[in-house]
Every structure is written in C-alpha cells, then in structure tokens.
Amino acid sequence: QVQLVESGGGLVQAGGSLRLSCAASGLTFSRYYMGWFRQAPGREREFVAAVNWGGPNTYYTWPVKGRFTISRDNSKNTVYLQMNSLTPEDTAVYSCAAGRTLPTTVAGYEHWGQGTQVTVSS
C-alpha cells in the first residue's frame, strides 16, 4: 500500500528554520510529482511547493518564494521542504502528497500523508 510519512515538524520561533521530510513507500517514486500543502485551523488546504519527477522543475506559492526550498532524492524515495525565515503565518499542518497531474492544485494529487504540525511563535 502507498504510504507517505512526514517528519520534522515542531515549534520554532519567528525567523527560525525547519526541514520537513516525507518518506514514500508502495509507489514508483520517480514517476510522481511530489508536493507540499498546508492547512491551518478553519482554513482550506493550500498549495505550498512541488517538484517534478527528476527534480529540476519546482513550483512555489508566492508567499514562500525565496524562503522555502523543495527537493527530492529519488534514491531514498524522500522529498524535503527546507523552511527558512519562518513567520507565524506559516503555522499549519504540513502534508506531503504524490500526484501525476496539476502539480500546484489539490486535485492533482492521488496520495497524501497524515501531516506534521509546524508552529511558529512570534
């Protein structure tokens, strides 16, 4: 069965950094776009970042450009999200996802992890 497991979340002060990891199993990892989404309480899940099959093409939502970096290691079936210069507005549950269409939208993803909490204090 397909399984995506996130790790690396936690509590950090504004201006700090976190590195999220997502380990995938049960799928041919290199055939999928991998994305990161986030959801704050009472808000809709929103796109954060994505990377294509081989890793050279990346996509970001405007608010995180220049602060977050997505990458993948196909040999380890793992996707990462390096998060720098964090602000309280980044507080959310971050989930990784695997998909094959529409890399910047929820509808484009087939498999989802349970998510990891990121809390940024002011």
Side-chain angles (χ1 to χ4, degrees), residues 49-117:
V51 60
N52 76 337
W53 308 274
N57 296 334
T58 57
Y59 310 83
Y60 298 93
T61 186
W62 189 90
V64 310
K65 286 185 177 180
R67 299 190 298 121
F68 292 8
T69 302
I70 188 171
S71 61
R72 67 191 295 163
D73 186 340
N74 287 348
S75 70
K76 297 181 179 180
N77 285 6
T78 301
V79 62
Y80 307 94
L81 186 67
Q82 179 66 47
M83 308 164 63
N84 299 328
S85 301
L86 286 162
T87 74
E89 288 70 38
D90 296 315
T91 295
V93 174
Y94 284 71
S95 301
C96 69
R100 291 181 283 188
T101 62
L102 303 175
T104 63
T105 66
V106 170
Y109 290 82
E110 305 169 33
H111 308 290
W112 295 83
Q114 291 295 314
T116 184
Q117 177 70 47

Side-chain angles (χ1 to χ4, degrees), residues 1-45:
Q1 292 185 326
V2 174
Q3 187 173 12
L4 305 178
V5 181
E6 303 94 337
S7 62
L11 176 64
V12 64
Q13 292 184 332
S17 299
L18 286 173
R19 189 193 190 206
L20 306 182
S21 298
C22 174
S25 61
L27 78 171
T28 304
F29 184 75
S30 62
R31 296 181 181 177
Y32 287 83
Y33 275 80
M34 295 299 299
W36 286 96
F37 293 77
R38 64 187 181 186
Q39 186 170 25
R43 297 178 61 183
E44 188 75 13
R45 181 168 50 191

